[in-house]
Amino acid sequence: MLSLHFEIQESAIKGSRFLLDEAHDGDIGENAVQGYSLQENEHFKLNIQSKAGGRKYGELVLDKELDREDKKEVMLLLTAFDGGSPQRSGSVVIHITVLDANDNVPVFSQSVYKASLPENSPLDTLVITVSATDADEGVNGEVTYGFDHVSDENQIFSLHPKTGDVKVAGAIDYEKESSYEMQISAKDGLGSASYATLIIEITDMNDNAPVIYVKSLTNPIPENVSPGTEVGIINVQDRDSESNRQVRCSIQQNVPFKLVPSIKNYYSLVTTGQLDREFVSDYNITITATDEGSPPLSSSKTVELSVADINDNPPEFEEQSYSAYVSENNKPGSTLCSVSAADPDWRQNGTVIYSLLPAEVNGAQVSSYVSVNGDTGVIHAVRSFDYEQLRSFKVQVMARDNGSPPLSSNVTVSVFISDVNDNSPQILYPAPEGNSFMTELVPKAAHGGSLVSKVIAVDADSGQNAWLSYHIVKSTDPGLFSIGVHSGEIRTQRDISESDSMKQNLIVAVKDNGQPSLSATCSVYLLISDNLAEVPELKDISYDEKNSKLTSYLIIALVSVSTFFLTFIIIILGVRFCRRRKPRLLFDGAVAIPSAYLPPNYADVDGTGTLRSTYNYDAYLTTGSRTSDFKFVTSYNDNTLPTNLPCFPFFQFLFHLKLHLIRCC
């Protein structure tokens, strides 16, 4: 992609304009360049200008001031478009480099610097380092340090102009000057400056420091000693005289010990609290002796003490609970997870042994499911797990030390069994091959996209192993029907035509999403007809269906049902006549299976595009076993026989049974 490069000072004011190159288009008139658009940004806007002849060009207008310290570069996308049809466009990247302006002064890290320096310090001793930064770049950001208003003959300290190091440059005499206060400046390349204060305190020197002697020491110390136990005796000597010889003795505050004065220049080292070897096993006690001289001198000595262990800590697991994940059908002996417990005690007091606590899982001992390595804490599977039978269980692991007496702690390990794709999809509807087969009656007036059937399947696995997809692998007319990949809904791909075969057979494969994928197949039989009078012998639809033998009880039942059927027709007509209504029983060409099959109803709503006629397809026509039920559903018409009549359910049952017996005979 083409690019334009601009360099703009960060000091540019709001409203500044920057001319952009004109875009060129080989076309003319409306097909030539008609306008420009600029990618949204916080700094620039696009102003479109026109030249003589109607040619257009753009200008960048600075809408918000630039700040190089905030953003050094700005990338914009400029697009030019013509007025043709189809509209064409071209883009160019505008690369803006923000140039620095000296808009920042150096800034010290501290407004006041303080340092302490002993008297008689040698020359070039580093006292302190001052530091200042300038956000600008190049010459604008180069910082130079210097003392402000200090004459060369009185200058006792030197300041490096680049590093900011303050060093001793003359004799330091505490009696002459006990402290120094100076003004330090930091200037950039163009002279912008800032200032800070430097304060140097001078400390007085003494000739001799105190000397510390350890006279006795108990080492190691049991961790269960009582507070106040004496563990050592300390003696302090100083060769100075008078006030410089007077010595104060102390130790640091972060140890459970203290010094108790005894006789002159002698101190007892005693415990002040309960010791814990697991928290601190060794102590380095620093004893500091300071004289009363001016200035005082001091010296230090470190006393090393060790703490002896007792078994006062149970093992502690690294985690409050553990989770183990294993795939089903695992091999016995496979590793599930590892638990780890630490005992802060020492040697045998800190040696940890692992074991399982007795428990039951599904009525069996937990030891028949898992085992634990007593030394390493590794948990193994004793048996192979089945996700469909057991999805998770918990075990308790105990960690015990070898102390006397032994101490222990427990942790819960949750074992989760993950699913493996070891179950093929199970087709609930239509019935599998070899059983009675289901047939759906499809109206001849069905348009493309009409819902005619549905394949229902489940998978015993879980997760993606149970995600099912549906595919038609074979059909009588490959272009007539399609199936929803995820829904299993079978729909027409086009309008039904007279040339289409009345009998349609679809072979549907149901696949899961496991690795490797498992599948199952089923056959869906469809009849293209508007009413049952056009339907041929249904037994011919199934390719493998065997002829069933006729029995005499079917004929007797047919006669009985017909009688009841005619009787109830007369009763209903009488009731309708008494109410002065004109019922009209409509039996559309829809047949169904019992409502126990899924999905429930496929009903068309005008405008949704499933079926043109107002049919309700509960499900399918069954013909395999000669014992299936027929259920004819009426169309949704105001003149249809009302279903809220008390006798309607029984009437419908008789009609269904009569048709079934007729077909069986």
Side-chain angles (χ1 to χ4, degrees), residues 260-281:
V260 178
S262 181
I263 59 177
K264 184 179 180 180
N265 295 331
Y266 279 86
Y267 297 86
S268 294
L269 182 63
V270 299
T271 59
T272 59
Q274 188 66 48
L275 302 180
D276 187 350
R277 190 205 68 84
E278 290 71 44
F279 182 68
V280 180
S281 61

Side-chain angles (χ1 to χ4, degrees), residues 198-417:
L198 173 60
I199 300 174
I200 302 176
E201 297 288 343
I202 306 301
T203 59
D204 195 19
M205 298 296 293
N206 195 14
D207 297 330
N208 295 284
V211 180
I212 302 171
Y213 300 95
V214 178
K215 294 300 182 178
S216 68
L217 187 66
T218 302
N219 198 16
I221 312 168
E223 63 176 325
N224 59 347
V225 296
S226 300
T229 302
E230 182 182 87
V231 296
I233 297 176
I234 307 298
N235 174 244
V236 182
Q237 298 291 336
D238 193 313
R239 292 183 301 169
D240 293 326
S241 60
E242 296 181 356
S243 62
N244 291 333
R245 189 174 183 177
Q246 301 301 317
V247 178
R248 299 186 308 272
C249 212
S250 63
I251 61 176
Q252 70 267 34
Q253 300 299 313
N254 58 345
V255 293
F257 300 93
K258 68 178 181 179
L259 289 174
V260 178
S262 181
I263 59 177
K264 184 179 180 180
N265 295 331
Y266 279 86
Y267 297 86
S268 294
L269 182 63
V270 299
T271 59
T272 59
Q274 188 66 48
L275 302 180
D276 187 350
R277 190 205 68 84
E278 290 71 44
F279 182 68
V280 180
S281 61
D282 297 283
Y283 289 95
N284 293 323
I285 305 171
T286 301
I287 301 173
T288 303
T290 306
D291 62 25
E292 296 290 341
S294 180
L297 296 179
S298 63
S299 61
S300 300
K301 187 176 185 64
T302 300
V303 178
E304 297 181 357
L305 286 177
S306 298
V307 182
D309 182 55
I310 63 171
N311 191 31
D312 58 347
N313 290 281
E316 292 187 3
F317 286 93
E318 293 181 352
E319 301 181 18
Q320 294 183 350
S321 62
Y322 290 84
S323 297
Y325 299 89
V326 59
S327 298
E328 64 174 327
N329 305 326
N330 60 294
K331 291 183 179 180
S334 58
T335 300
L336 300 182
C337 70
S338 176
V339 298
S340 179
D343 193 318
D345 293 324
W346 195 42
R347 292 184 177 176
Q348 69 177 15
N349 293 335
T351 303
V352 179
I353 300 174
Y354 303 94
S355 61
L356 293 177
L357 291 180
E360 289 188 355
V361 176
N362 284 355
Q365 288 298 318
V366 68
S367 58
S368 65
Y369 285 85
V370 295
S371 64
V372 62
N373 187 303
D375 296 326
T376 64
V378 176
I379 299 177
H380 300 276
V382 175
R383 62 169 66 176
S384 178
F385 301 122
D386 185 358
Y387 175 83
E388 285 70 40
Q389 299 296 326
L390 180 65
R391 299 192 175 188
S392 64
F393 62 92
K394 295 183 179 181
V395 298
Q396 291 280 332
V397 178
M398 179 180 69
R400 175 179 57 84
D401 62 28
N402 270 335
S404 180
L407 301 176
S408 65
S409 61
N410 303 330
V411 73
T412 300
V413 179
S414 300
V415 180
F416 299 95
I417 302 166

Side-chain angles (χ1 to χ4, degrees), residues 439-446 451-452 502 526-535 538 585-593 602 611 613-622 630-636 655-656 659:
T439 303
E440 175 69 35
L441 196 61
V442 181
K444 292 181 179 180
L451 179 65
V452 299
M502 177 180 293
L526 304 173
L527 282 176
I528 300 176
S529 178
D530 286 332
N531 54 68
L532 288 177
E534 299 178 358
V535 179
L538 297 178
L585 187 60
L586 297 180
F587 295 102
D588 296 323
V591 293
I593 66 166
Y602 298 128
L611 294 178
S613 302
T614 53
Y615 293 100
N616 176 32
Y617 288 89
D618 248 332
Y620 312 88
L621 175 64
T622 304
F630 286 12
K631 177 183 176 184
F632 285 79
V633 183
T634 62
S635 63
Y636 298 119
F655 183 72
H656 296 167
L659 292 179

Side-chain angles (χ1 to χ4, degrees), residues 430-437 505-507 521-525 542 544:
E433 290 293 341
N435 299 328
S436 60
F437 67 93
N505 178 26
L506 306 179
I507 306 298
T521 59
C522 66
S523 295
V524 179
Y525 302 99
S542 174
D544 299 325

Side-chain angles (χ1 to χ4, degrees), residues 380-654:
H380 300 276
V382 175
R383 62 169 66 176
S384 178
F385 301 122
D386 185 358
Y387 175 83
E388 285 70 40
Q389 299 296 326
L390 180 65
R391 299 192 175 188
S392 64
F393 62 92
K394 295 183 179 181
V395 298
Q396 291 280 332
V397 178
M398 179 180 69
R400 175 179 57 84
D401 62 28
N402 270 335
S404 180
L407 301 176
S408 65
S409 61
N410 303 330
V411 73
T412 300
V413 179
S414 300
V415 180
F416 299 95
I417 302 166
S418 59
D419 184 44
V420 172
N421 192 30
D422 56 351
N423 290 280
S424 299
Q426 180 183 358
I427 298 176
L428 302 180
Y429 187 85
E433 290 293 341
N435 299 328
S436 60
F437 67 93
M438 313 303 293
T439 303
E440 175 69 35
L441 196 61
V442 181
K444 292 181 179 180
H447 282 226
S450 298
L451 179 65
V452 299
S453 184
K454 182 173 183 178
V455 176
I456 305 171
V458 295
D459 196 308
D461 295 318
S462 66
Q464 69 174 10
N465 295 331
W467 296 351
L468 302 181
S469 60
Y470 301 83
H471 310 273
I472 297 177
V473 297
K474 185 178 180 181
S475 62
T476 303
D477 188 343
L480 185 54
F481 297 100
S482 64
I483 190 169
V485 174
H486 302 295
S487 65
E489 294 179 348
I490 299 176
R491 297 178 180 270
T492 57
Q493 295 193 81
R494 56 176 175 79
D495 295 350
I496 302 297
S497 64
E498 294 295 333
S499 61
D500 291 327
S501 174
M502 177 180 293
K503 304 174 184 178
Q504 297 286 334
N505 178 26
L506 306 179
I507 306 298
V508 177
V510 183
K511 298 180 180 180
D512 61 29
N513 200 37
Q515 293 295 331
S517 177
L518 301 178
S519 63
T521 59
C522 66
S523 295
V524 179
Y525 302 99
L526 304 173
L527 282 176
I528 300 176
S529 178
D530 286 332
N531 54 68
L532 288 177
E534 299 178 358
V535 179
E537 284 297 326
L538 297 178
K539 64 183 180 179
D540 297 335
I541 299 175
S542 174
Y543 305 130
D544 299 325
E545 193 74 46
K546 296 182 179 180
N547 293 328
S548 302
K549 295 182 180 180
L550 299 178
T551 56
S552 58
Y553 75 88
L554 291 177
I555 299 176
I556 296 173
L558 175 62
V559 174
S560 301
V561 171
S562 299
T563 303
F564 281 109
F565 177 71
L566 294 175
T567 302
F568 275 95
I569 287 179
I570 295 173
I571 293 174
I572 290 173
L573 291 176
V575 173
R576 293 292 294 265
F577 179 79
C578 292
R579 294 186 179 182
R580 293 184 179 182
R581 297 178 64 182
K582 296 180 181 181
R584 178 168 59 90
L585 187 60
L586 297 180
F587 295 102
D588 296 323
V591 293
I593 66 166
S595 60
Y597 287 101
L598 297 173
N601 294 330
Y602 298 128
D604 176 61
V605 179
D606 289 336
T608 61
T610 39
L611 294 178
R612 288 175 62 86
S613 302
T614 53
Y615 293 100
N616 176 32
Y617 288 89
D618 248 332
Y620 312 88
L621 175 64
T622 304
T623 61
S625 62
R626 303 293 184 183
T627 59
S628 302
D629 296 333
F630 286 12
K631 177 183 176 184
F632 285 79
V633 183
T634 62
S635 63
Y636 298 119
N637 189 295
D638 293 340
N639 294 328
T640 304
L641 183 63
T643 58
N644 57 356
L645 292 178
C647 61
F648 182 77
F650 184 56
F651 161 74
Q652 191 179 39
F653 163 75
L654 291 178

